C-alpha cells in the first residue's frame, strides 16, 4: 500500500484523474477527513472537500508507474 497527497482543484482535473486511475486494476481510495471514496468514482470524488489536498491510498506495492502518471496532481 502506498500513500500520498493529491490536489484536484477543477472539474477537468477530476475527470483527467479518474481516467488515469481507471486504467489500473488495483483499488485506489481518496480520503478527506473521515470520508473515503473510490478514486475511480467521479461522483464520489465530488462528495469530498476539494478545496484542500486529499489523501490517496493505492492498494498495491508496485505503484511507481501510477505515481508517475498522476505526478501533476501530487502535492507536498
Amino acid at each position: 500500500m502506498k500513500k500520498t497527497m493529491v490536489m484536484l482543484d477543477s472539474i477537468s482535473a477530476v475527470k483527467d484523474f479518474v481516467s488515469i486511475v481507471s486504467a489500473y486494476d488495483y483499488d485506489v481510495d481518496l480520503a478527506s477527513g473521515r470520508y473515503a471514496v473510490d478514486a475511480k468514482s467521479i461522483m464520489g470524488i465530488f462528495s469530498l472537500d476539494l478545496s484542500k489536498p486529499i489523501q490517496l491510498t493505492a492498494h498495491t506495492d508496485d505503484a511507481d508507474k501510477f505515481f508517475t502518471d498522476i505526478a501533476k496532481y501530487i502535492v507536498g
Side-chain angles (χ1 to χ4, degrees):
M1 186 171 8
K2 305 271 184 169
K3 295 184 178 187
T4 191
M5 297 298 284
V6 296
M7 188 71 183
L8 303 171
D9 55 1
S10 70
I11 293 170
S12 61
V14 171
K15 287 170 58 178
D16 182 53
F17 178 81
V18 169
S19 70
I20 293 168
V21 174
S22 295
Y24 290 87
D25 291 336
Y26 45 82
D27 289 336
V28 180
D29 296 325
L30 293 174
S32 176
R34 56 190 186 131
Y35 298 102
V37 299
D38 183 349
K40 297 177 183 178
S41 167
I42 289 177
M43 294 304 291
I45 293 173
F46 281 122
S47 72
L48 300 175
D49 179 3
L50 300 179
S51 66
K52 52 191 170 195
I54 304 164
Q55 181 176 314
L56 176 142
T57 304
H59 296 275
T60 182
D61 290 325
D62 185 23
D64 294 339
K65 180 173 177 357
F66 173 66
F67 278 80
T68 300
D69 289 350
I70 64 163
K72 62 185 168 186
Y73 302 112
I74 296 174
V75 294

